[in-house]
């Protein structure tokens, strides 16, 4: 038959194991909630890479995606799965889930043993103690840990959303820079030909030295424009490559030649402020943080006086004396620290969190309004260039060429029109880029993606 000390020790250990069995550590399950929240807002399915096999499968998937010019959807998929910094963030959900499991476990019991010999007597003392205060406050600690897991889930989802939107912006800027570089090279080639023509005309006496100098200056500026466009295209591409987390051969990916065309009509949105407050993850995270702070305040008040409370079994044996047993309680006496400062601090932190929730909500409303206004204005500008400026420039170019062929216009008029048309096309590319960036900003501001636009039949820029 087990001795009393063995029976009590077994009881304490069994209790701890029973409580520990209430929670398990599953990082994948914790991350699934973050991935689902992000997928609903971005359309991107993120996943956790746990093994070399997962990483090898991902690299094979990336190689398949990179066989064709990299689309925006493929770029954000690669970024969400492959970026090492973002993958590191994913594990925060697993850490928070482990904290939840830890909160369901009682502190390990303490065992004490002492033995003293002297004067022919031997005194042996044994004790087992458990954290009674931890047992009493365990439900509160579990609820707090669960709320912090919810906060972390939102924070990880927000990190995915932020990285996805940043990748969308990087893709738009890179493709626009590539498109601008292509057109700058076309302008430079045309300037090279016109400069050579002007040189021959000057030699023949049909143009002045001033005309030649003007054309040579345009030729030099066109060359500088190519260098500038090439620098901007390289910088934008490297930024996109960092967002994708690519290197080596995979960094040699190709891109589309031009940006998507302007949609037939802008998205019509109603109740954008309500959408932002209900969908934005930073608003939800602020609310969860305030709720968690309120729970912290409740725990602080509960443990204001009882900071350390241990309950345990003890027995004592002396040589020639009958065994004595009993229990012991250890309690920290609030002689110097009555817990008032901790409670006051918790209340101040809670009031601070309420103010932060209000501030986040105000910012969300304003950013939603500003995002929609910027989106509509950018659409109007891009459409104006597409429907007004470019057609007029094309009409002027056709008429000027017709008059030149009929010997009714000089080559100087033809060259001057070419320069003006180049500026209009460059402004059109910038306007189209600004529209697509404004759409990403609007989606970020309201916390959800816009419906897929129906493309227009018109081309936004000349080929």
């Amino acid at each position: 038959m087990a001795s009393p000390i063995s029976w009590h020790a077994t009881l304490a250990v069994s209790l701890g194991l029973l409580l520990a069995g209430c929670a398990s550590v599953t990082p994948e399950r914790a991350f699934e909630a973050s991935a689902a929240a992000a997928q609903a807002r971005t359309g991107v399915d993120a996943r956790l890479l746990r093994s070399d096999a997962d990483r090898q499968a991902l690299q094979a998937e990336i190689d398949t995606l990179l066989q064709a010019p990299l689309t925006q959807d493929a770029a954000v998929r690669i970024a969400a799965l492959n970026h090492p910094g973002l993958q590191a963030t994913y594990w925060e959900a697993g850490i928070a889930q482990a904290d939840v499991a830890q909160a369901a476990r009682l502190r390990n019991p303490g065992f004490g043993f002492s033995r003293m010999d002297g004067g022919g007597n031997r005194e042996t003392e044994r004790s087992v103690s458990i954290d009674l205060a931890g047992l009493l406050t365990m439900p509160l600690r579990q609820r707090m840990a669960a709320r912090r897991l919810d906060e972390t889930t939102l924070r990880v989802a927000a990190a995915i959303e932020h990285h996805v939107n940043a990748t969308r912006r990087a893709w738009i800027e890179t493709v626009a820079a590539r498109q601008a570089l292509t057109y700058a090279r076309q302008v430079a080639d045309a300037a090279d030909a016109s400069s050579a023509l002007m040189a021959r005309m000057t030699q023949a006496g049909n143009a002045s030295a001033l005309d030649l100098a003007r054309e040579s200056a345009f030729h030099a500026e066109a060359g500088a424009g190519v260098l500038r466009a090439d620098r901007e295209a390289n910088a934008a591409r490297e930024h996109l490559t960092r967002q994708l987390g690519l290197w080596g051969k995979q960094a040699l990916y190709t891109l589309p030649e031009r940006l998507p065309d302007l949609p037939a009509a802008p998205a019509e949105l109603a109740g954008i402020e309500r959408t932002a407050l209900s969908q934005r993850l930073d608003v939800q995270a602020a609310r969860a943080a305030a709720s968690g702070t309120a729970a912290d305040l409740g725990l602080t008040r509960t443990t204001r006086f009882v900071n350390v409370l241990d309950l345990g079994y003890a027995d004592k044996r002396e040589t020639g004396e009958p065994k004595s047993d009993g229990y012991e309680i250890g309690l920290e006496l609030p002689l110097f620290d009555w817990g008032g400062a901790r409670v006051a601090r918790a209340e101040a932190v809670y009031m601070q969190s309420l103010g932060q929730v209000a501030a986040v909500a105000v910012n969300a409303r304003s950013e939603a309004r500003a995002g929609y206004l910027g989106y509509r204005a950018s659409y109007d500008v891009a459409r104006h260039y597409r429907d007004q400026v470019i057609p007029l420039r094309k009409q002027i170019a056709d008429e000027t060429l017709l008059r030149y062929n009929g010997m009714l216009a000089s080559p100087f008029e033809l060259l001057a029109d070419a320069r003006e048309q180049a500026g209009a096309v460059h402004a059109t590319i910038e306007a189209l880029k600004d529209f697509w960036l404004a759409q990403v900003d609007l989606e970020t501001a309201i916390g959800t993606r816009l419906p897929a636009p129906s493309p227009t039949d018109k081309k936004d820029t000349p080929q």
Side-chain angles (χ1 to χ4, degrees):
M1 181 175 178
S3 64
I5 181 63
S6 300
W7 182 86
H8 282 282
T10 302
L11 178 62
V13 172
S14 299
L15 178 61
L17 292 175
L18 177 63
L19 294 171
C22 296
S24 59
V25 182
T26 52
E28 296 88 347
R29 186 180 302 172
F31 174 69
E32 286 173 1
S34 299
Q39 199 275 338
R41 290 162 176 80
T42 64
V44 178
D45 185 18
R47 65 174 180 263
L48 199 62
L49 303 179
R50 289 187 56 88
S51 64
D52 290 337
D54 292 341
R55 284 181 279 274
Q56 291 173 1
L58 173 61
Q59 294 307 310
E61 181 180 350
I62 292 175
D63 289 338
T64 301
L65 291 173
L66 296 182
Q67 289 177 359
L70 185 65
T71 64
Q72 186 178 128
D73 290 340
V76 296
R77 176 166 180 79
I78 292 173
L81 296 175
N82 188 61
H83 192 272
L86 196 59
Q87 277 288 329
T89 303
Y90 293 169
W91 288 99
E92 291 183 8
I95 294 172
Q97 204 277 339
D99 291 339
V100 172
Q102 186 63 42
R105 288 166 167 79
L106 188 63
R107 194 177 70 184
N108 290 329
F111 174 74
F113 177 82
S114 66
R115 171 177 170 176
M116 300 182 66
D117 295 311
N121 293 327
R122 173 177 296 171
E123 182 178 311
T124 304
E125 185 174 349
R126 292 170 292 180
S127 65
V128 176
S129 64
I130 62 171
D131 180 11
L132 183 58
L135 178 62
L136 296 176
T137 59
M138 182 178 291
L140 283 173
R141 289 189 287 111
Q142 287 180 286
R143 287 195 294 269
M144 287 173 56
R147 276 188 286 266
R148 285 172 182 148
L149 174 59
D150 293 339
E151 294 176 34
T152 303
T153 297
L154 293 174
R155 187 166 59 250
V156 172
I160 299 173
E161 182 183 27
H162 174 77
H163 193 81
V164 164
N165 289 336
T167 303
R168 293 188 193 280
R169 289 185 61 90
W171 184 89
I172 293 168
E173 291 172 347
T174 304
V175 175
R178 173 185 173 86
Q179 187 174 348
L181 174 60
T182 300
Y183 189 71
R185 286 171 175 166
Q186 293 175 0
V187 171
D189 291 341
D192 185 63
S194 63
S195 179
L197 173 62
M198 187 62 66
R200 289 194 299 269
M201 291 178 63
T202 302
Q203 290 177 355
N206 295 325
S208 66
L210 178 59
D211 295 329
L212 178 59
R214 286 173 176 168
E215 195 58 35
S216 298
F218 175 70
H219 180 233
E221 290 174 358
V226 171
L227 296 176
R228 217 170 18 245
D230 186 64
R231 180 195 63 192
E232 293 172 358
N234 288 334
R237 183 184 177 91
E238 285 303 320
H239 180 210
L240 176 60
T241 302
R242 290 194 299 272
Q243 291 293 123
L244 299 174
L246 298 179
W247 62 281
K249 292 183 179 180
Q250 290 181 337
L252 302 177
Y253 56 88
T254 60
L255 288 165
E257 295 292 335
R258 60 198 311 274
L259 289 170
D261 292 330
L262 198 66
E268 297 290 342
L269 301 180
I272 56 174
E273 294 185 29
R274 291 193 302 271
T275 302
L277 293 179
S278 63
Q279 295 295 323
R280 281 182 52 149
L281 293 172
D282 58 344
V283 176
Q284 297 182 26
R287 290 171 177 166
S291 176
T293 303
D296 290 346
L297 178 59
L299 179 59
T300 300
R301 285 176 172 166
T302 301
T303 61
R304 178 175 180 178
F305 299 113
V306 183
N307 287 327
V308 178
L309 178 61
D310 293 329
L311 173 65
Y313 168 84
D315 69 17
K316 182 178 181 181
R317 299 173 184 268
E318 294 186 26
T319 304
E321 299 291 336
K323 185 191 74 168
S324 58
D325 56 14
Y327 63 89
E328 61 181 13
I329 296 179
L331 175 64
E332 179 183 299
L333 298 177
L335 296 180
F336 305 108
D337 183 3
W338 289 77
R342 290 195 306 275
V343 173
R345 184 183 186 280
E347 290 175 343
V349 171
Y350 176 63
M351 296 306 296
Q352 181 187 54
S353 67
L354 292 181
Q356 291 171 345
V357 172
V360 170
V362 169
N363 290 338
R365 290 176 181 272
S366 177
E367 289 171 3
R369 294 192 302 269
Y372 187 65
L373 292 174
Y375 167 79
R376 290 302 303 265
S378 298
Y379 181 86
D380 292 340
V381 171
R383 183 177 60 183
H384 181 75
Y385 271 96
R386 182 195 68 187
D387 297 344
Q388 300 293 328
V389 176
I390 291 299
L392 286 173
R393 282 296 172 193
K394 186 176 185 303
Q395 181 182 355
I396 293 172
D398 292 342
E399 290 293 332
T400 303
L401 181 61
L402 182 63
R403 291 171 63 83
Y404 175 76
N405 291 334
M407 303 185 70
L408 298 176
S410 69
F412 307 108
E413 294 179 83
L414 189 65
L415 296 175
D417 177 68
R419 289 193 290 267
E420 293 175 355
Q421 187 177 13
V425 172
H426 180 75
T428 301
I429 296 173
E430 286 295 311
L432 185 60
K433 180 188 75 171
D434 290 342
F435 166 75
W436 288 116
L437 291 177
Q439 176 168 308
V440 175
D441 292 341
L442 175 58
E443 291 173 343
T444 302
I446 63 177
T448 187
R449 293 207 68 184
L450 299 180
S454 56
T456 178
D457 292 334
K458 297 181 179 181
K459 292 296 182 181
D460 299 326
T461 56
Q463 298 295 318

